[in-house]
Amino acid sequence: MKENPLLHRHDEYKVKTRDVRVVRLLIVLVALATLYTLYFAQSLIIPVVFSMLVALLLSPLVTRLKRLFIPRAVSSMVLLAMLVTPLTFLAFELSEPAERWMKSLPLLAEQIAEELSMLSSVAQGNTTLQESQASNTAYPWFEKEPTQKTDDSAVEEQFKQGSRQMIFEMLLAAPLFLAQVIGAVVLTLFLLIFGPPLSKVVINDFPIIKNRERAKLLIRSIQQALSHYILTISIINCALGVLTAVGLSYFNIRDAILWGAIVGLLNFVPYMGSIISVGILLLVGTLQFGITSTALLPVGIFLTLNIIESQIVTPTVLGKSMQINPLVIIVWLFVSGWIWGMLGVLLAVPIFVCIKLTLQQMEVFPHWLKFIEAHD
């Protein structure tokens, strides 16, 4: 008796369908496990990622100095010291105004509570006037129940508790942040010194790599593209922070260096960073000049520089390397912030651009690259 070919094909179709479902289920499980690992290992992963970005920035310089017969250990320590020293000096200079603003947060909360109480009293006065007018109508059954006055001291106490809790949480996070910074510096130094020999061993001796010359060229091109991007975007953001501080100092805005440093740091976060910077500078202008048109002066200075940077300088210098759909960026920022918090938001775009540049150099997943760069 001959076997029915239709039944045989039907069985093969069932097996293939079941295999495809199993593969998809495994992909989902691996993705969830990866998110779980990234979320709970953030204290370890964030210093490693930051160290890799800094190592990519300094590695070409270390390689060039090696050609001049300068040992990698010496050049790595010198370059890292040249990078860390000004940042440490800037941190010490900004610590005093930052501490002063942190201590003044309860007072600012009281001022905001007073403003809210004034607004609520005005609103209650309007409500009382409307109720008195409604009571004189010919339809008393439409009258509303008298509203109870809100306790303004409760609102003020909530602001005070919120500011104190934020200060307490920052003090608790300070030792962990300091340990992460020290660990990142040490790891960056070891990556610069011992990273290239390890990569050479992987390329030359591991059997998984078939075309070794192609692998060397690919790693070199990826490294050059990533280091160029990191160096360029860092210079642009530093220039934006410096020019913002100079503009604020020219108009006698207090703690201009602090706000310039914050603006330059937040500029690593596209769109959202500019919005946060505008909110901070608007608060600074309001606290210094009051609710007047002059309070918009810090925001005007920043927006002028930010428009020039985002619309002219960055597209001209970086070209298509920063051509990313804004919706993709926003979603990636939300995901990074959910996984790694504020530090994840600051590192989100450099990491994403590094992934994009790597895919471009490897010439893989062209459909995903078109999805990332989708524009009108």
Side-chain angles (χ1 to χ4, degrees), residues 86-128:
L87 293 177
T88 305
F89 177 76
L90 181 63
F92 277 111
E93 288 293 323
L94 297 180
S95 61
E96 182 180 354
E99 183 180 1
R100 185 170 65 250
W101 277 90
M102 292 299 298
K103 289 182 178 179
S104 63
L105 280 179
L107 299 178
L108 297 178
E110 292 180 3
Q111 293 180 5
I112 296 174
E114 291 176 1
E115 294 290 337
L116 290 177
S117 63
M118 292 175 60
L119 292 175
S120 62
S121 62
V122 172
Q124 288 175 5
N126 294 334
T127 304
T128 305

Side-chain angles (χ1 to χ4, degrees), residues 30-52:
V30 170
L32 292 176
T34 303
L35 289 176
Y36 180 88
T37 304
L38 292 175
Y39 179 79
F40 285 97
Q42 56 179 309
S43 59
L44 173 64
I45 295 176
I46 289 179
V48 172
V49 173
F50 181 77
S51 301
M52 294 176 64

Side-chain angles (χ1 to χ4, degrees), residues 76 129 230:
S76 299
L129 180 61
I230 296 171

Side-chain angles (χ1 to χ4, degrees), residues 48-228:
V48 172
V49 173
F50 181 77
S51 301
M52 294 176 64
L53 293 176
V54 177
L56 283 172
L57 175 63
L58 300 179
S59 183
L61 296 176
V62 174
T63 303
R64 292 179 182 178
L65 293 175
K66 180 69 168 59
R67 295 171 184 171
L68 299 176
F69 304 101
I70 299 177
R72 298 189 66 91
V74 176
S75 60
S76 299
M77 287 188 288
V78 171
L79 290 175
L80 199 57
M82 292 175 61
L83 181 64
V84 171
T85 301
L87 293 177
T88 305
F89 177 76
L90 181 63
F92 277 111
E93 288 293 323
L94 297 180
S95 61
E96 182 180 354
E99 183 180 1
R100 185 170 65 250
W101 277 90
M102 292 299 298
K103 289 182 178 179
S104 63
L105 280 179
L107 299 178
L108 297 178
E110 292 180 3
Q111 293 180 5
I112 296 174
E114 291 176 1
E115 294 290 337
L116 290 177
S117 63
M118 292 175 60
L119 292 175
S120 62
S121 62
V122 172
Q124 288 175 5
N126 294 334
T127 304
T128 305
L129 180 61
Q130 292 176 358
E131 290 177 355
S132 63
Q133 291 176 355
S135 62
N136 295 328
T137 60
Y139 306 97
W141 51 83
F142 285 115
E143 295 180 3
K144 297 179 180 179
E145 293 292 332
T147 57
Q148 296 181 353
K149 293 185 178 180
T150 58
D151 190 3
D152 297 334
S153 62
V155 179
E156 181 178 351
E157 187 63 26
Q158 288 180 358
F159 273 97
K160 289 182 179 180
Q161 291 180 357
S163 60
R164 291 168 184 167
Q165 183 178 2
M166 184 175 65
I167 295 174
F168 181 70
E169 291 178 354
M170 293 183 67
L171 291 176
L172 287 179
L176 178 60
F177 178 74
L178 183 60
Q180 289 179 335
V181 170
I182 296 175
V185 172
V186 175
L187 182 59
T188 303
L189 179 62
F190 278 78
L191 283 173
L192 290 173
I193 298 174
F194 303 107
L198 289 178
S199 63
K200 289 181 181 179
V201 170
V202 171
I203 294 174
N204 295 326
D205 298 333
F206 275 50
I208 193 173
I209 298 177
K210 304 301 182 182
N211 192 342
R212 305 191 187 279
E213 294 299 326
R214 168 65 177 168
K216 292 179 182 178
L217 181 61
L218 184 62
I219 291 177
R220 191 180 303 112
S221 59
I222 292 174
Q223 186 181 34
Q224 290 176 354
L226 294 182
S227 61
H228 174 262

